Structures are given as structure tokens and as C-alpha cells.
Amino acid sequence: MKRSTVLSIASEVYPLIKTGGLADVAGALPGALAKEGFAVRTLVPGYPAVTAAAKPAEVLHVFDDLFGGQARLVAARAKNLDLFVLDAPHLYGRPGNPYLNAEGNDWPDNALRFAALGQVGAELGRGLLPSFHPSVLHCHDWQAGLVPAYLAHMEGRSPRTVFTVHNLAFQGNFPARLLTRLGLPASALTVDGIEYHGQIGYLKAGLRLADRITTVSPTYAAEICTGEFGMGFDGLLRGRADVLRGILNGIDTSVWNPATDSLLPARYDAASLDARSGNKAALQVRLGLAEEPRAPLFGVISRLGWQKGLDLLLAALPVLLEGGAQLALLGAGDPELEEAFRRAAAEHPGRIGCMIGFDEALAHLIQGGCDALLVPSRFEPCGLTQLCALRYGAIPVAARVGGLADTIIDASPVALSGGVATGLLFSPVNEALLEASIRRAVSLYQDQAVWRQLQLNGMATDVSWRGPAQAYAALYRELL
Ligand code: ADP
Ligand code: GLC
């Protein structure tokens, strides 16, 4: 059977470049979709980390002037991914975070950087390369939001489009005066097009113009149609409810497998959970925590920002410490939160350990060594760390929002007696209820048999991409 071709367009892709879950999804979905009969190629900006990894590379097309400089479209295979790399040094030849400069501010030319991604994505969709004719363009987040806008103003047969929103909080709104510079006609700037409150909205364009919209959990799909979670787009989304789907994320179960994880000092599976204690000890040493095997050890792996609710955790620290527990936190983001957690660690040596920065290896050690993973998000489109936690026998303690609500079964008395609980959920999201769940977790932890059952239930949960990939495949087929 001939495999249909999909072009995935993403601004980050694991393991080449990653700031969050978007990269994990863009990196893992192609492999999972291959098993469903779809050949996925990924268009990604040529940041230094990408061009360095994407070798050997074959130049397929040269753009003499792509938003102010020469650019090359390069085919490459890297880490099992079939890539089109948009090598445009004047736009992407900057090391570090793909969106921010060294001071932590958005690059001033982000509008052009991601218009270029959108335009080239659309051109590939319209047959730029004689040998590549994708039937579906799958665009991720605002950085790829202009793809359907460019498509609408190009000649030729148009592929179908899917726009996946990973996070409605990142919208990519830019001044309307850039329209000509972006090469889009004045007619594009309407309420039914890319206009958003007088600006050019990249996320708006994706949401308004794509044939299908997906987001990364069923609960978030419902939440974003409400004023509370819609971030200004709930009206638009209610109007497009017939093309909006929530498809849960999975995780790459070969990258996240406690039985084979080379980043863990002690590997284990459901039958050898006692070996986890070796990872807990290593984690305590690594973060300067007292080596107490029976102290409940809470972990956090997160971007530090309002979404993730970690200011609530700061406020709840006295409660966490009063129960004799410890905290191992890995995160980066908001400088004030970074500073506050550094200070908390300095004030409570041996009880709070924190590492500010991005550290893939430590993320694995936390999953493999902590007893419970805290995810007190105010909103969470899907969330991946709780999925990894389930697989690693760390009990997620999380807010009942978005994908967290869809992937964790709360340890209510009924779920506990039914033997199906996998974690702890609380709502509404506030300090008092976070504190109550921390207390509840500490108390459950004292009963080793109950805790073990929670771990085993979590580890038996299917967090792979198999089901989600089938759902995307069905969506693509519906479009063809
Ligand atoms: P989001 O995409 O909103 O940041 P997710 O839970 O979907 O949240 O995905 C976050 C991903 O980034 C996970 O793979 C997680 O392990 C990883 N991650 C987050 N912060 C860090 C960090 N400081 N160091 C290493 N990995 C991190
Ligand atoms: C976003 C969301 C997160 C989701 C990830 C991947 O960054 O914040 O909840 O898991 O995208 O879809």
C-alpha cells in the first residue's frame, strides 16, 4: 500500500532542539505515525544545534532572498527523523534558546523568523520540490500558524492542513504594519483571516484557517472553549468546535524506559521496584539532600512560569517540610521564581535541593528516584512529566486540569479500593489544596503496600504513542 506523506512543521524537535513538550511531540510522533502507514517529514528551522546534527545534508532548493538573506532548504536524516532543515543563518544562526536572546527577551525579528518557517512550509505543500507532494501539512503552535495563511494565497493544488495547539498562552501577535513585509496581501488581514485585535495573529491564523484543529488532551479541548481557559480564543473555538479534537500526547517509551535508561544509576521494572532506592540515594547526593531512604522525596521538572503554579509550591513549602519530606526541583524560566527556589534551597540545606537550568540527565534521575512528582499547573494542555512519572513509578501529585485530569486516576477511597488509582489530583488549583495533597501524599507514602499498588498501577498505564498516533492517523484519513 502506498504510504501517504505528511509534512510536520515545528519550531523545535527532540533530540535536536528542545525547550518543552512540543519538541518531544514533534520528535516522537513521526516514528509512531510510520507504524500507522504515514511517512512524516519534518520541517525545522536551521538553528546551530540542528544544522550541526543534520548531517549528511543535501541542498534541495536555494531561496535568494528569504526575509532579508539567502537561505537553503536542506534534506537530512538525523536521529531517526527525516528532516527538511531551513538553513537561513540570518534568521536562525543564533545559539541557545530558539525564541529568546541571552537576556531572555524575544528576538526582535521573531515575526520574520517564523513567517519564513510558515512560508516555506506552505511552498513545500504546494509542490516546491518535484519529488515531494505531502497530502497533509501538520502545523504545530503559533510558530507554524501562518502556513494555512500562505497556502491560501498561493497557486496550485493545496494539501489539507491540521493545526495542533500545544499551548494557547503563546500566541505570536505582531504589528499589522508588517503585513507587506511578510508578503501577505491586505485581504489576509480580516477577522476571518489572520487579524487579531488589530494585529497579525500567528496562532489566530492557524486556529482560523486550518482544516482541522487539534489540541493535546480532550479536557483541554473542552476547556479552551470556555472564557476561563480560552485566552481570548474561546469564541473562535466554539465556532469551530466541529473541527476541533483533543488527542492526548504520548511519550517516547524507548527514551523513557526505566528498564533500559542509561541515565539511571539503577535500572528497574515493575518486578524490581526496590532497585529504585539506588536512584533515590543518587538523586539525594546529586542535589545535596540528606540521604534518608524513607523521607518522602517530591520531585519537580518544569518550566518556571505562571502556568506551572510553582509559586503555589513555594508558598506550600513549610507544609512539605513539616511532614519530613524533601524536594528535588529542576527548572528554569522566570528569574524571580528561579531566585526564590535557590533561596529556599539555601535556607533548608538537606531538605530542598534545586538545580536551575535545563538538564536532560537530571530529569531522568528525578523521574527514576523521586517518590512523587508535583505538577500544580494552573492550566496544562497535556503535560508530559506526569506521563514519564507514571512509567517510572513516581506518583504524580497534580492539579485536576487539562491533560493531567485525563491521564491520572486520583487515589480516592473508591479508586483505591478498586485498585485503579495512579496518583493524586486536586482542584481548584490553590495553595490550600496543594498543601492538602502534599499531606495526603505523605500519609499514603507511610503505607508501603498502598504506595506500591499506586506505583504498579501507574507503570501499567499505557502512556505510549500508539493510541494517539492511531487517532492522528484517523484524522488524516478523514481529510484525504
Ligand atoms: P511544557 O511543554 O509546558 O514545558 P510538558 O510537561 O509538556 O510541559 O513538557 C516538558 C518537557 O520538558 C518534558 O520532557 C520535561 O522532562 C522537560 N523539561 C522541562 N523542564 C526541564 C528542565 N529544566 N530540564 C530538563 N528537562 C526539562
Ligand atoms: C505545551 C503544553 C504541555 C504539552 C506540550 C506538548 O508546551 O504546555 O502541556 O504537554 O505542549 O504538547
Side-chain angles (χ1 to χ4, degrees), residues 20-22 25 166-167 216 249 303 307-308 380-384:
L22 165 61
V25 174
H166 295 264
N167 195 327
V216 287
N249 286 332
R303 289 186 290 114
Q307 172 190 349
K308 302 293 182 179
E380 196 60 76
C382 180
L384 299 177

Side-chain angles (χ1 to χ4, degrees), residues 274-299:
D274 287 338
R276 278 187 108 252
S277 58
N279 298 322
K280 181 168 178 177
L283 176 58
Q284 287 170 325
V285 170
R286 170 77 205 275
L287 289 181
L289 296 166
E291 284 175 71
E292 295 170 12
R294 281 300 301 161
L297 175 50
F298 288 91

Side-chain angles (χ1 to χ4, degrees), residues 387-401:
L387 299 181
C388 300
L390 290 170
R391 184 150 167 87
Y392 274 59
I395 305 306
V397 177
R400 193 192 295 275
V401 292

